[in-house]
PDB file of all heavy atoms in Angstrom:
ATOM      1  N   PRO U  11      10.809  -6.628  -5.062  1.00  0.00           N
ATOM      2  CA  PRO U  11       9.344  -6.728  -5.101  1.00  0.00           C
ATOM      3  C   PRO U  11       8.846  -8.125  -5.446  1.00  0.00           C
ATOM      4  O   PRO U  11       7.779  -8.541  -4.987  1.00  0.00           O
ATOM      5  CB  PRO U  11       8.948  -5.711  -6.176  1.00  0.00           C
ATOM      6  CG  PRO U  11      10.078  -4.737  -6.213  1.00  0.00           C
ATOM      7  CD  PRO U  11      11.310  -5.545  -5.932  1.00  0.00           C
ATOM      8  N   ARG U  12       9.627  -8.863  -6.224  1.00  0.00           N
ATOM      9  CA  ARG U  12       9.207 -10.225  -6.608  1.00  0.00           C
ATOM     10  C   ARG U  12       9.281 -11.168  -5.417  1.00  0.00           C
ATOM     11  O   ARG U  12       8.500 -12.123  -5.335  1.00  0.00           O
ATOM     12  CB  ARG U  12      10.094 -10.716  -7.761  1.00  0.00           C
ATOM     13  CG  ARG U  12       9.926  -9.911  -9.038  1.00  0.00           C
ATOM     14  CD  ARG U  12      11.061 -10.148 -10.009  1.00  0.00           C
ATOM     15  NE  ARG U  12      12.339  -9.684  -9.473  1.00  0.00           N
ATOM     16  CZ  ARG U  12      13.471  -9.647 -10.177  1.00  0.00           C
ATOM     17  NH1 ARG U  12      13.471 -10.056 -11.442  1.00  0.00           N
ATOM     18  NH2 ARG U  12      14.592  -9.215  -9.634  1.00  0.00           N
ATOM     19  N   ILE U  13      10.211 -10.918  -4.499  1.00  0.00           N
ATOM     20  CA  ILE U  13      10.293 -11.703  -3.266  1.00  0.00           C
ATOM     21  C   ILE U  13       9.171 -11.301  -2.319  1.00  0.00           C
ATOM     22  O   ILE U  13       8.456 -12.151  -1.756  1.00  0.00           O
ATOM     23  CB  ILE U  13      11.661 -11.508  -2.588  1.00  0.00           C
ATOM     24  CG1 ILE U  13      12.799 -12.002  -3.496  1.00  0.00           C
ATOM     25  CG2 ILE U  13      11.694 -12.199  -1.231  1.00  0.00           C
ATOM     26  CD1 ILE U  13      12.765 -13.480  -3.803  1.00  0.00           C
ATOM     27  N   ILE U  14       9.000 -10.000  -2.137  1.00  0.00           N
ATOM     28  CA  ILE U  14       7.981  -9.484  -1.230  1.00  0.00           C
ATOM     29  C   ILE U  14       6.603 -10.003  -1.616  1.00  0.00           C
ATOM     30  O   ILE U  14       5.785 -10.355  -0.753  1.00  0.00           O
ATOM     31  CB  ILE U  14       8.007  -7.941  -1.245  1.00  0.00           C
ATOM     32  CG1 ILE U  14       9.345  -7.430  -0.700  1.00  0.00           C
ATOM     33  CG2 ILE U  14       6.838  -7.357  -0.459  1.00  0.00           C
ATOM     34  CD1 ILE U  14       9.630  -5.978  -1.011  1.00  0.00           C
ATOM     35  N   ALA U  15       6.337 -10.049  -2.900  1.00  0.00           N
ATOM     36  CA  ALA U  15       5.015 -10.454  -3.398  1.00  0.00           C
ATOM     37  C   ALA U  15       4.664 -11.888  -3.029  1.00  0.00           C
ATOM     38  O   ALA U  15       3.488 -12.262  -3.065  1.00  0.00           O
ATOM     39  CB  ALA U  15       4.951 -10.276  -4.911  1.00  0.00           C
ATOM     40  N   ASN U  16       5.657 -12.693  -2.648  1.00  0.00           N
ATOM     41  CA  ASN U  16       5.392 -14.081  -2.272  1.00  0.00           C
ATOM     42  C   ASN U  16       4.698 -14.202  -0.919  1.00  0.00           C
ATOM     43  O   ASN U  16       4.102 -15.238  -0.620  1.00  0.00           O
ATOM     44  CB  ASN U  16       6.692 -14.887  -2.241  1.00  0.00           C
ATOM     45  CG  ASN U  16       7.161 -15.275  -3.615  1.00  0.00           C
ATOM     46  OD1 ASN U  16       6.627 -16.195  -4.226  1.00  0.00           O
ATOM     47  ND2 ASN U  16       8.146 -14.566  -4.129  1.00  0.00           N
ATOM     48  N   GLU U  17       4.810 -13.152  -0.103  1.00  0.00           N
ATOM     49  CA  GLU U  17       4.147 -13.173   1.194  1.00  0.00           C
ATOM     50  C   GLU U  17       2.690 -12.734   1.024  1.00  0.00           C
ATOM     51  O   GLU U  17       2.420 -11.721   0.377  1.00  0.00           O
ATOM     52  CB  GLU U  17       4.838 -12.232   2.178  1.00  0.00           C
ATOM     53  CG  GLU U  17       6.264 -12.623   2.537  1.00  0.00           C
ATOM     54  CD  GLU U  17       6.331 -13.812   3.482  1.00  0.00           C
ATOM     55  OE1 GLU U  17       5.279 -14.396   3.804  1.00  0.00           O
ATOM     56  OE2 GLU U  17       7.451 -14.159   3.904  1.00  0.00           O
ATOM     57  N   SER U  18       1.758 -13.477   1.574  1.00  0.00           N
ATOM     58  CA  SER U  18       0.364 -13.035   1.556  1.00  0.00           C
ATOM     59  C   SER U  18       0.139 -12.012   2.663  1.00  0.00           C
ATOM     60  O   SER U  18       0.870 -11.989   3.660  1.00  0.00           O
ATOM     61  CB  SER U  18      -0.574 -14.230   1.735  1.00  0.00           C
ATOM     62  OG  SER U  18      -0.317 -14.887   2.961  1.00  0.00           O
ATOM     63  N   ASP U  19      -0.850 -11.136   2.474  1.00  0.00           N
ATOM     64  CA  ASP U  19      -1.180 -10.097   3.456  1.00  0.00           C
ATOM     65  C   ASP U  19       0.041  -9.265   3.841  1.00  0.00           C
ATOM     66  O   ASP U  19       0.258  -8.941   5.015  1.00  0.00           O
ATOM     67  CB  ASP U  19      -1.796 -10.715   4.726  1.00  0.00           C
ATOM     68  CG  ASP U  19      -3.156 -11.338   4.461  1.00  0.00           C
ATOM     69  OD1 ASP U  19      -3.925 -10.772   3.662  1.00  0.00           O
ATOM     70  OD2 ASP U  19      -3.445 -12.400   5.043  1.00  0.00           O
ATOM     71  N   PHE U  20       0.839  -8.924   2.842  1.00  0.00           N
ATOM     72  CA  PHE U  20       2.008  -8.101   3.119  1.00  0.00           C
ATOM     73  C   PHE U  20       1.569  -6.656   3.312  1.00  0.00           C
ATOM     74  O   PHE U  20       0.785  -6.115   2.523  1.00  0.00           O
ATOM     75  CB  PHE U  20       3.044  -8.173   1.991  1.00  0.00           C
ATOM     76  CG  PHE U  20       4.373  -7.596   2.375  1.00  0.00           C
ATOM     77  CD1 PHE U  20       5.362  -8.409   2.889  1.00  0.00           C
ATOM     78  CD2 PHE U  20       4.620  -6.232   2.272  1.00  0.00           C
ATOM     79  CE1 PHE U  20       6.587  -7.880   3.282  1.00  0.00           C
ATOM     80  CE2 PHE U  20       5.830  -5.690   2.665  1.00  0.00           C
ATOM     81  CZ  PHE U  20       6.820  -6.519   3.168  1.00  0.00           C
ATOM     82  N   VAL U  21       2.062  -6.007   4.349  1.00  0.00           N
ATOM     83  CA  VAL U  21       1.708  -4.624   4.663  1.00  0.00           C
ATOM     84  C   VAL U  21       2.966  -3.772   4.607  1.00  0.00           C
ATOM     85  O   VAL U  21       3.913  -3.990   5.371  1.00  0.00           O
ATOM     86  CB  VAL U  21       1.048  -4.511   6.046  1.00  0.00           C
ATOM     87  CG1 VAL U  21       0.797  -3.032   6.396  1.00  0.00           C
ATOM     88  CG2 VAL U  21      -0.257  -5.286   6.082  1.00  0.00           C
ATOM     89  N   SER U  22       2.966  -2.819   3.702  1.00  0.00           N
ATOM     90  CA  SER U  22       4.069  -1.885   3.564  1.00  0.00           C
ATOM     91  C   SER U  22       3.651  -0.536   4.131  1.00  0.00           C
ATOM     92  O   SER U  22       2.565  -0.036   3.816  1.00  0.00           O
ATOM     93  CB  SER U  22       4.450  -1.736   2.082  1.00  0.00           C
ATOM     94  OG  SER U  22       5.381  -0.694   1.897  1.00  0.00           O
ATOM     95  N   ILE U  23       4.496   0.067   4.961  1.00  0.00           N
ATOM     96  CA  ILE U  23       4.198   1.359   5.584  1.00  0.00           C
ATOM     97  C   ILE U  23       5.386   2.283   5.352  1.00  0.00           C
ATOM     98  O   ILE U  23       6.495   2.027   5.826  1.00  0.00           O
ATOM     99  CB  ILE U  23       3.933   1.215   7.095  1.00  0.00           C
ATOM    100  CG1 ILE U  23       2.819   0.202   7.357  1.00  0.00           C
ATOM    101  CG2 ILE U  23       3.576   2.574   7.699  1.00  0.00           C
ATOM    102  CD1 ILE U  23       2.735  -0.260   8.797  1.00  0.00           C
ATOM    103  N   ASN U  24       5.160   3.357   4.603  1.00  0.00           N
ATOM    104  CA  ASN U  24       6.234   4.296   4.285  1.00  0.00           C
ATOM    105  C   ASN U  24       5.750   5.726   4.436  1.00  0.00           C
ATOM    106  O   ASN U  24       4.576   6.024   4.202  1.00  0.00           O
ATOM    107  CB  ASN U  24       6.736   4.076   2.850  1.00  0.00           C
ATOM    108  CG  ASN U  24       7.559   2.813   2.714  1.00  0.00           C
ATOM    109  OD1 ASN U  24       8.661   2.723   3.243  1.00  0.00           O
ATOM    110  ND2 ASN U  24       7.020   1.823   2.021  1.00  0.00           N
ATOM    111  N   ALA U  25       6.656   6.606   4.781  1.00  0.00           N
ATOM    112  CA  ALA U  25       6.330   8.018   4.945  1.00  0.00           C
ATOM    113  C   ALA U  25       6.642   8.789   3.672  1.00  0.00           C
ATOM    114  O   ALA U  25       7.533   8.425   2.898  1.00  0.00           O
ATOM    115  CB  ALA U  25       7.118   8.607   6.108  1.00  0.00           C
ATOM    116  N   THR U  26       5.897   9.859   3.455  1.00  0.00           N
ATOM    117  CA  THR U  26       6.161  10.740   2.325  1.00  0.00           C
ATOM    118  C   THR U  26       6.107  12.177   2.808  1.00  0.00           C
ATOM    119  O   THR U  26       5.732  12.455   3.963  1.00  0.00           O
ATOM    120  CB  THR U  26       5.164  10.487   1.183  1.00  0.00           C
ATOM    121  OG1 THR U  26       5.643  11.114  -0.011  1.00  0.00           O
ATOM    122  CG2 THR U  26       3.778  11.026   1.524  1.00  0.00           C
ATOM    123  N   LEU U  27       6.463  13.102   1.921  1.00  0.00           N
ATOM    124  CA  LEU U  27       6.502  14.519   2.279  1.00  0.00           C
ATOM    125  C   LEU U  27       5.331  15.295   1.697  1.00  0.00           C
ATOM    126  O   LEU U  27       4.890  16.275   2.283  1.00  0.00           O
ATOM    127  CB  LEU U  27       7.823  15.133   1.798  1.00  0.00           C
ATOM    128  CG  LEU U  27       9.069  14.523   2.446  1.00  0.00           C
ATOM    129  CD1 LEU U  27      10.336  14.984   1.730  1.00  0.00           C
ATOM    130  CD2 LEU U  27       9.138  14.893   3.922  1.00  0.00           C
ATOM    131  N   SER U  28       4.826  14.868   0.550  1.00  0.00           N
ATOM    132  CA  SER U  28       3.635  15.497  -0.025  1.00  0.00           C
ATOM    133  C   SER U  28       3.014  14.560  -1.045  1.00  0.00           C
ATOM    134  O   SER U  28       3.691  13.716  -1.641  1.00  0.00           O
ATOM    135  CB  SER U  28       3.970  16.851  -0.672  1.00  0.00           C
ATOM    136  OG  SER U  28       4.900  16.704  -1.726  1.00  0.00           O
ATOM    137  N   VAL U  29       1.693  14.727  -1.221  1.00  0.00           N
ATOM    138  CA  VAL U  29       0.921  13.912  -2.168  1.00  0.00           C
ATOM    139  C   VAL U  29       0.037  14.850  -2.974  1.00  0.00           C
ATOM    140  O   VAL U  29      -0.637  15.715  -2.414  1.00  0.00           O
ATOM    141  CB  VAL U  29       0.037  12.877  -1.434  1.00  0.00           C
ATOM    142  CG1 VAL U  29      -0.729  12.020  -2.435  1.00  0.00           C
ATOM    143  CG2 VAL U  29       0.877  11.994  -0.521  1.00  0.00           C
ATOM    144  N   ASP U  30       0.046  14.685  -4.313  1.00  0.00           N
ATOM    145  CA  ASP U  30      -0.815  15.541  -5.133  1.00  0.00           C
ATOM    146  C   ASP U  30      -2.139  14.854  -5.432  1.00  0.00           C
ATOM    147  O   ASP U  30      -2.366  13.697  -5.056  1.00  0.00           O
ATOM    148  CB  ASP U  30      -0.096  15.987  -6.402  1.00  0.00           C
ATOM    149  CG  ASP U  30       0.123  14.894  -7.439  1.00  0.00           C
ATOM    150  OD1 ASP U  30      -0.416  13.776  -7.280  1.00  0.00           O
ATOM    151  OD2 ASP U  30       0.837  15.152  -8.420  1.00  0.00           O
ATOM    152  N   PHE U  31      -3.048  15.571  -6.113  1.00  0.00           N
ATOM    153  CA  PHE U  31      -4.393  15.060  -6.370  1.00  0.00           C
ATOM    154  C   PHE U  31      -4.397  13.745  -7.144  1.00  0.00           C
ATOM    155  O   PHE U  31      -5.338  12.958  -7.040  1.00  0.00           O
ATOM    156  CB  PHE U  31      -5.208  16.098  -7.151  1.00  0.00           C
ATOM    157  CG  PHE U  31      -5.672  17.276  -6.337  1.00  0.00           C
ATOM    158  CD1 PHE U  31      -6.078  18.445  -6.967  1.00  0.00           C
ATOM    159  CD2 PHE U  31      -5.717  17.228  -4.952  1.00  0.00           C
ATOM    160  CE1 PHE U  31      -6.522  19.540  -6.235  1.00  0.00           C
ATOM    161  CE2 PHE U  31      -6.155  18.311  -4.203  1.00  0.00           C
ATOM    162  CZ  PHE U  31      -6.553  19.477  -4.848  1.00  0.00           C
ATOM    163  N   LEU U  32      -3.355  13.497  -7.924  1.00  0.00           N
ATOM    164  CA  LEU U  32      -3.293  12.256  -8.690  1.00  0.00           C
ATOM    165  C   LEU U  32      -2.844  11.078  -7.837  1.00  0.00           C
ATOM    166  O   LEU U  32      -3.003   9.925  -8.234  1.00  0.00           O
ATOM    167  CB  LEU U  32      -2.344  12.408  -9.881  1.00  0.00           C
ATOM    168  CG  LEU U  32      -2.688  13.493 -10.906  1.00  0.00           C
ATOM    169  CD1 LEU U  32      -1.630  13.543 -12.000  1.00  0.00           C
ATOM    170  CD2 LEU U  32      -4.063  13.252 -11.512  1.00  0.00           C
ATOM    171  N   GLY U  33      -2.264  11.379  -6.672  1.00  0.00           N
ATOM    172  CA  GLY U  33      -1.740  10.332  -5.805  1.00  0.00           C
ATOM    173  C   GLY U  33      -0.244  10.168  -5.894  1.00  0.00           C
ATOM    174  O   GLY U  33       0.326   9.255  -5.287  1.00  0.00           O
ATOM    175  N   GLN U  34       0.431  11.048  -6.618  1.00  0.00           N
ATOM    176  CA  GLN U  34       1.881  10.972  -6.719  1.00  0.00           C
ATOM    177  C   GLN U  34       2.515  11.391  -5.398  1.00  0.00           C
ATOM    178  O   GLN U  34       2.154  12.416  -4.819  1.00  0.00           O
ATOM    179  CB  GLN U  34       2.394  11.885  -7.837  1.00  0.00           C
ATOM    180  CG  GLN U  34       1.843  11.526  -9.200  1.00  0.00           C
ATOM    181  CD  GLN U  34       2.383  12.432 -10.279  1.00  0.00           C
ATOM    182  OE1 GLN U  34       3.099  11.985 -11.164  1.00  0.00           O
ATOM    183  NE2 GLN U  34       2.045  13.709 -10.216  1.00  0.00           N
ATOM    184  N   CYS U  35       3.477  10.592  -4.924  1.00  0.00           N
ATOM    185  CA  CYS U  35       4.118  10.840  -3.636  1.00  0.00           C
ATOM    186  C   CYS U  35       5.552  11.318  -3.839  1.00  0.00           C
ATOM    187  O   CYS U  35       6.378  10.605  -4.419  1.00  0.00           O
ATOM    188  CB  CYS U  35       4.128   9.572  -2.792  1.00  0.00           C
ATOM    189  SG  CYS U  35       2.483   8.966  -2.377  1.00  0.00           S
ATOM    190  N   ALA U  36       5.842  12.516  -3.344  1.00  0.00           N
ATOM    191  CA  ALA U  36       7.200  13.056  -3.370  1.00  0.00           C
ATOM    192  C   ALA U  36       7.822  12.830  -2.004  1.00  0.00           C
ATOM    193  O   ALA U  36       7.455  13.493  -1.033  1.00  0.00           O
ATOM    194  CB  ALA U  36       7.181  14.534  -3.722  1.00  0.00           C
ATOM    195  N   SER U  37       8.744  11.878  -1.914  1.00  0.00           N
ATOM    196  CA  SER U  37       9.286  11.465  -0.624  1.00  0.00           C
ATOM    197  C   SER U  37      10.762  11.784  -0.454  1.00  0.00           C
ATOM    198  O   SER U  37      11.333  11.489   0.595  1.00  0.00           O
ATOM    199  CB  SER U  37       9.086   9.951  -0.437  1.00  0.00           C
ATOM    200  OG  SER U  37       7.760   9.583  -0.687  1.00  0.00           O
ATOM    201  N   GLU U  38      11.385  12.373  -1.463  1.00  0.00           N
ATOM    202  CA  GLU U  38      12.830  12.577  -1.391  1.00  0.00           C
ATOM    203  C   GLU U  38      13.273  13.990  -1.721  1.00  0.00           C
ATOM    204  O   GLU U  38      14.465  14.284  -1.686  1.00  0.00           O
ATOM    205  CB  GLU U  38      13.544  11.582  -2.302  1.00  0.00           C
ATOM    206  CG  GLU U  38      13.035  11.587  -3.738  1.00  0.00           C
ATOM    207  CD  GLU U  38      13.458  10.353  -4.513  1.00  0.00           C
ATOM    208  OE1 GLU U  38      14.652  10.258  -4.870  1.00  0.00           O
ATOM    209  OE2 GLU U  38      12.599   9.499  -4.762  1.00  0.00           O
ATOM    210  N   THR U  39      12.336  14.879  -2.041  1.00  0.00           N
ATOM    211  CA  THR U  39      12.662  16.274  -2.304  1.00  0.00           C
ATOM    212  C   THR U  39      11.710  17.175  -1.531  1.00  0.00           C
ATOM    213  O   THR U  39      10.574  16.803  -1.251  1.00  0.00           O
ATOM    214  CB  THR U  39      12.548  16.601  -3.802  1.00  0.00           C
ATOM    215  OG1 THR U  39      11.273  16.153  -4.291  1.00  0.00           O
ATOM    216  CG2 THR U  39      13.652  15.936  -4.612  1.00  0.00           C
ATOM    217  N   ILE U  40      12.185  18.357  -1.209  1.00  0.00           N
ATOM    218  CA  ILE U  40      11.362  19.375  -0.558  1.00  0.00           C
ATOM    219  C   ILE U  40      11.491  20.651  -1.375  1.00  0.00           C
ATOM    220  O   ILE U  40      12.600  21.182  -1.535  1.00  0.00           O
ATOM    221  CB  ILE U  40      11.798  19.627   0.894  1.00  0.00           C
ATOM    222  CG1 ILE U  40      11.629  18.365   1.742  1.00  0.00           C
ATOM    223  CG2 ILE U  40      10.983  20.770   1.509  1.00  0.00           C
ATOM    224  CD1 ILE U  40      12.116  18.510   3.166  1.00  0.00           C
ATOM    225  N   GLN U  41      10.366  21.092  -1.934  1.00  0.00           N
ATOM    226  CA  GLN U  41      10.351  22.280  -2.787  1.00  0.00           C
ATOM    227  C   GLN U  41      11.410  22.192  -3.876  1.00  0.00           C
ATOM    228  O   GLN U  41      12.112  23.152  -4.177  1.00  0.00           O
ATOM    229  CB  GLN U  41      10.530  23.546  -1.943  1.00  0.00           C
ATOM    230  CG  GLN U  41       9.372  23.778  -0.970  1.00  0.00           C
ATOM    231  CD  GLN U  41       9.546  25.040  -0.145  1.00  0.00           C
ATOM    232  OE1 GLN U  41      10.670  25.481   0.104  1.00  0.00           O
ATOM    233  NE2 GLN U  41       8.433  25.621   0.294  1.00  0.00           N
ATOM    234  N   GLY U  42      11.499  21.008  -4.466  1.00  0.00           N
ATOM    235  CA  GLY U  42      12.384  20.809  -5.601  1.00  0.00           C
ATOM    236  C   GLY U  42      13.840  20.569  -5.262  1.00  0.00           C
ATOM    237  O   GLY U  42      14.663  20.389  -6.163  1.00  0.00           O
ATOM    238  N   ARG U  43      14.194  20.521  -3.979  1.00  0.00           N
ATOM    239  CA  ARG U  43      15.585  20.297  -3.591  1.00  0.00           C
ATOM    240  C   ARG U  43      15.725  18.916  -2.963  1.00  0.00           C
ATOM    241  O   ARG U  43      14.904  18.512  -2.139  1.00  0.00           O
ATOM    242  CB  ARG U  43      16.048  21.356  -2.584  1.00  0.00           C
ATOM    243  CG  ARG U  43      15.969  22.777  -3.102  1.00  0.00           C
ATOM    244  CD  ARG U  43      16.511  23.750  -2.091  1.00  0.00           C
ATOM    245  NE  ARG U  43      17.967  23.637  -1.958  1.00  0.00           N
ATOM    246  CZ  ARG U  43      18.669  24.283  -1.021  1.00  0.00           C
ATOM    247  NH1 ARG U  43      18.044  25.021  -0.120  1.00  0.00           N
ATOM    248  NH2 ARG U  43      19.971  24.142  -0.964  1.00  0.00           N
ATOM    249  N   TYR U  44      16.780  18.218  -3.356  1.00  0.00           N
ATOM    250  CA  TYR U  44      16.962  16.859  -2.855  1.00  0.00           C
ATOM    251  C   TYR U  44      17.194  16.849  -1.348  1.00  0.00           C
ATOM    252  O   TYR U  44      17.986  17.618  -0.811  1.00  0.00           O
ATOM    253  CB  TYR U  44      18.134  16.169  -3.560  1.00  0.00           C
ATOM    254  CG  TYR U  44      17.639  15.047  -4.449  1.00  0.00           C
ATOM    255  CD1 TYR U  44      17.552  15.211  -5.829  1.00  0.00           C
ATOM    256  CD2 TYR U  44      17.212  13.848  -3.901  1.00  0.00           C
ATOM    257  CE1 TYR U  44      17.065  14.190  -6.635  1.00  0.00           C
ATOM    258  CE2 TYR U  44      16.732  12.823  -4.695  1.00  0.00           C
ATOM    259  CZ  TYR U  44      16.668  13.001  -6.065  1.00  0.00           C
ATOM    260  OH  TYR U  44      16.180  11.991  -6.852  1.00  0.00           O
ATOM    261  N   TYR U  45      16.467  15.939  -0.693  1.00  0.00           N
ATOM    262  CA  TYR U  45      16.545  15.787   0.756  1.00  0.00           C
ATOM    263  C   TYR U  45      17.112  14.425   1.131  1.00  0.00           C
ATOM    264  O   TYR U  45      17.853  14.303   2.092  1.00  0.00           O
ATOM    265  CB  TYR U  45      15.160  15.961   1.365  1.00  0.00           C
ATOM    266  CG  TYR U  45      15.120  15.919   2.874  1.00  0.00           C
ATOM    267  CD1 TYR U  45      15.430  17.051   3.623  1.00  0.00           C
ATOM    268  CD2 TYR U  45      14.774  14.751   3.554  1.00  0.00           C
ATOM    269  CE1 TYR U  45      15.402  17.023   5.017  1.00  0.00           C
ATOM    270  CE2 TYR U  45      14.746  14.717   4.944  1.00  0.00           C
ATOM    271  CZ  TYR U  45      15.061  15.851   5.663  1.00  0.00           C
ATOM    272  OH  TYR U  45      15.037  15.823   7.038  1.00  0.00           O
ATOM    273  N   SER U  46      16.767  13.379   0.402  1.00  0.00           N
ATOM    274  CA  SER U  46      17.231  12.021   0.715  1.00  0.00           C
ATOM    275  C   SER U  46      17.477  11.279  -0.601  1.00  0.00           C
ATOM    276  O   SER U  46      18.377  11.623  -1.349  1.00  0.00           O
ATOM    277  CB  SER U  46      16.212  11.287   1.585  1.00  0.00           C
ATOM    278  OG  SER U  46      14.921  11.319   0.993  1.00  0.00           O
ATOM    279  N   SER U  47      16.671  10.286  -0.900  1.00  0.00           N
ATOM    280  CA  SER U  47      16.648   9.615  -2.195  1.00  0.00           C
ATOM    281  C   SER U  47      15.532   8.580  -2.136  1.00  0.00           C
ATOM    282  O   SER U  47      14.731   8.573  -1.200  1.00  0.00           O
ATOM    283  CB  SER U  47      17.991   8.972  -2.537  1.00  0.00           C
ATOM    284  OG  SER U  47      18.015   8.602  -3.918  1.00  0.00           O
ATOM    285  N   SER U  48      15.496   7.682  -3.102  1.00  0.00           N
ATOM    286  CA  SER U  48      14.353   6.767  -3.213  1.00  0.00           C
ATOM    287  C   SER U  48      14.320   5.721  -2.108  1.00  0.00           C
ATOM    288  O   SER U  48      13.244   5.346  -1.638  1.00  0.00           O
ATOM    289  CB  SER U  48      14.380   6.067  -4.573  1.00  0.00           C
ATOM    290  OG  SER U  48      14.375   7.012  -5.616  1.00  0.00           O
ATOM    291  N   GLY U  49      15.495   5.224  -1.694  1.00  0.00           N
ATOM    292  CA  GLY U  49      15.518   4.162  -0.699  1.00  0.00           C
ATOM    293  C   GLY U  49      14.705   2.968  -1.158  1.00  0.00           C
ATOM    294  O   GLY U  49      14.685   2.610  -2.329  1.00  0.00           O
ATOM    295  N   GLY U  50      13.990   2.359  -0.212  1.00  0.00           N
ATOM    296  CA  GLY U  50      13.224   1.156  -0.535  1.00  0.00           C
ATOM    297  C   GLY U  50      11.737   1.380  -0.660  1.00  0.00           C
ATOM    298  O   GLY U  50      10.975   0.407  -0.755  1.00  0.00           O
TER     299      GLY U  50
END
């Protein structure tokens, strides 16, 4: 992240599986079971 932050107008695009009202993104589990992992 410290390297990435050096670029201006950096655009990150990532997929998730669900988002709750607080904005928390669950991208590696489905119904509490591991599907992948954190990755990048």
